[in-house]
Amino acid sequence: IDSNTAIGLKQNNAASNGHVQLDSLKKLLQDPRIRNRKKIVMMHHYLQSDQNMIKNHGRGYSRFMKLENRNETMQLLIEHDIDLVLHGHHHENGEYWISGDMLRVLNGGGSYYGPCWNLVEISADDIKIDVIDGMKMQKQGFCPYHKKVRKKK
């Protein structure tokens, strides 16, 4: 879903806050073709609470990086039994839950702490997530595209 909807520079002078078009999201989630299936939603902005982001990153970061209609977006995702939300925007790799265990969320942006990625395994009964530490993999020789630059002789 598109969370990068323009909301105007007066309200968003860092141009990094987001807004989801709720009517479009609701229409998409009501599509009969996705009933009785695993539902994974991908969006740009995170769903963590302002309080959590302020606690971990400060008020300024939270003010300029949030999803403006976060609560309404989360409510729609919960009402439609979304199995997993994937997002970026905030460059920390991690999994968290919204409203207890109602909505599972995975942030795939791990560039602040070195390369890492998530292996998401989907079966009929479960979704399993393993965080892959790219630095560890590189040391074990599994990441050829992360090779160190060699000095010329």
Side-chain angles (χ1 to χ4, degrees):
I1 59 175
D2 184 6
S3 64
N4 290 317
T5 303
I7 55 176
L9 287 178
K10 185 174 182 181
Q11 298 170 340
N12 188 21
N13 58 13
S16 59
N17 284 340
H19 184 87
V20 170
Q21 296 292 330
L22 297 173
D23 291 338
S24 296
L25 175 59
K26 188 173 186 177
K27 184 177 179 181
L28 175 70
L29 295 175
Q30 291 173 339
D31 189 320
R33 294 174 293 182
I34 65 171
R35 283 193 195 124
N36 302 317
R37 293 181 177 228
K38 290 272 186 225
K39 294 180 274 296
I40 299 172
V41 170
M42 187 166 40
M43 60 191 298
H44 183 77
H45 287 82
Y46 60 84
L47 293 173
Q48 290 189 42
S49 69
D50 286 342
Q51 294 82 8
N52 218 15
M53 295 306 288
I54 289 168
K55 180 180 136 194
N56 295 322
H57 301 284
R59 187 169 300 281
Y61 183 93
S62 176
R63 181 174 172 218
F64 291 110
M65 301 294 277
K66 66 184 175 183
L67 182 62
E68 294 289 339
N69 56 347
R70 171 189 168 270
N71 291 336
E72 297 88 347
T73 301
M74 287 186 326
Q75 188 60 41
L76 270 176
L77 297 174
I78 290 168
E79 284 173 10
H80 291 276
D81 296 317
I82 299 304
D83 296 287
L84 179 64
V85 176
L86 305 172
H87 74 82
H89 194 60
H90 177 59
H91 295 258
E92 285 184 348
N93 200 55
E95 179 183 9
Y96 57 97
W97 292 82
I98 301 290
S99 297
D101 65 351
M102 298 294 291
L103 185 61
R104 189 177 192 184
V105 184
L106 181 63
N107 180 6
S111 66
Y112 285 164
Y113 305 105
C116 62
W117 56 92
N118 301 294
L119 178 62
V120 180
E121 188 176 334
I122 304 167
S123 69
D125 300 324
D126 194 21
I127 297 177
K128 181 181 174 192
I129 298 170
D130 289 317
V131 177
I132 309 297
D133 182 338
M135 298 299 277
K136 191 180 288 184
M137 296 292 283
Q138 182 180 359
K139 289 176 185 174
Q140 295 171 354
F142 289 110
C143 298
Y145 45 87
H146 290 295
K147 289 181 182 176
K148 292 181 181 177
V149 177
R150 296 182 185 175
K151 291 183 180 179
K152 292 183 179 180
K153 293 183 180 181

